[in-house]
Structures are given as C-alpha cells and as structure tokens.
Amino acid sequence: MLYTVMLYLHITSVVTAIGPFFILFPLIRKLRTASIDELKIYLPTFRFAVQLSKHSGHILIPTGIILMLLSHLSWLTSWVLVTIFILVSSLYFIARAFSPTLKKLAEPLQNSNRMELVNKLRNSLILYVTLMLIMLWFMVTKPNVW
C-alpha cells in the first residue's frame, strides 16, 4: 500500500513538473507581439509555471528516493544513474534558464531585443521539456544502458 501511494505521488509530481510547460508554447508566440500591459499578464503566468515545476521537485525527489528504498533497486543501476544525472542537469538548467530572461523581458525593450529574449525563452523551454521527457522515458522503460 505504501509503495502504491508513493508511486501515485511520484507520478503526480512528474505531471506537475512537466505539464505546465506545454501551455507555455502558445504563450511564447503571444510574447512576440504583446504590449506592455499584456506582458504584465503573460510573464506572471510563465513564472508561475516555472515555479510550479520547481516546487513539484519537493515531492518528486523524496518520493523517488522512497520508491527506490521500497523496491530494493540498486542505486548503481544504469537507468537510475542516468535519470539522476539528467535530474541534476535539469535542476541546474531551470535555475539559470528562465528567471533572468523573464526579468529582462519585463523591462521596456526594443522589438529586436524582445525577439532575441523570446527566442532564448523558446529554446530553453524546448530543451527543458526534452530533458524532462528523456528522464521520464528512462523512468518508465528502465533500459539497461550498460
């Protein structure tokens, strides 16, 4: 029963960590042409999605550790090590990728600077979602890498 509850919480936290980023793709298109007043609405939405993803890790990581302990899997299993590496990389990445760019976008900018920042945000979003989906693939398929 404990394993099932932990698995449910773990999967829910994964959905919370990845899901909000998919609504940001249409929002990025709107950032390109948004007025200053519209930016005041769009940017907090973007920040909220990033914060929600960051904070879902407070459930994701402990439940993952508990699941590892309950299942008696080795921490040296290849898919576990790759998943941990990707997790650490994504945590480092999310801390540096979004907040500074969102702060710059909140400032009054020339249109060319805004496009550059929006493109940077889009690229960061694509990279982060890709990292998260790769990590999800490793956790679901549990491939034997070595």
Side-chain angles (χ1 to χ4, degrees):
M1 177 70 171
L2 178 61
Y3 184 85
T4 305
V5 170
M6 289 297 115
L7 185 60
Y8 177 79
L9 289 173
H10 190 69
I11 292 170
T12 303
S13 64
V14 169
V15 170
T16 307
I18 300 173
F21 283 97
F22 286 98
I23 65 162
L24 296 180
F25 285 107
L27 189 61
I28 287 209
R29 278 188 234 117
K30 292 182 182 223
L31 288 176
R32 294 182 190 284
T33 58
S35 68
I36 299 297
D37 291 333
E38 290 171 328
L39 278 178
K40 290 178 184 177
I41 296 167
Y42 296 149
L43 292 180
T45 303
F46 210 107
R47 279 190 199 96
F48 176 76
V50 171
Q51 290 299 317
L52 182 61
S53 179
K54 282 182 185 179
H55 291 301
S56 70
H58 296 231
I59 297 169
L60 181 101
I61 293 170
T63 57
I65 292 169
I66 292 168
L67 286 168
M68 286 295 295
L69 295 173
L70 291 173
S71 66
H72 304 290
L73 286 170
S74 170
W75 288 95
L76 299 177
T77 306
S78 61
W79 70 268
V80 173
L81 291 174
V82 172
T83 302
I84 290 170
F85 174 75
I86 295 171
L87 175 67
V88 170
S89 300
S90 68
L91 292 173
Y92 176 78
F93 178 77
I94 197 170
R96 299 187 154 277
F98 296 107
S99 295
T101 307
L102 290 171
K103 284 179 186 173
K104 287 180 185 175
L105 266 173
E107 300 169 1
L109 299 168
Q110 292 180 349
N111 201 32
S112 61
N113 291 343
R114 181 191 290 186
M115 292 304 152
E116 184 180 315
L117 290 172
V118 170
N119 287 337
K120 183 178 178 182
L121 215 55
R122 187 197 71 224
N123 292 340
S124 295
L125 183 60
I126 290 168
L127 183 57
Y128 183 73
V129 167
T130 302
L131 280 173
M132 296 299 286
L133 291 176
I134 290 169
M135 186 168 47
L136 180 63
W137 181 80
F138 273 96
M139 291 169 65
V140 170
T141 62
K142 298 171 179 41
N144 190 9
V145 181
W146 60 79

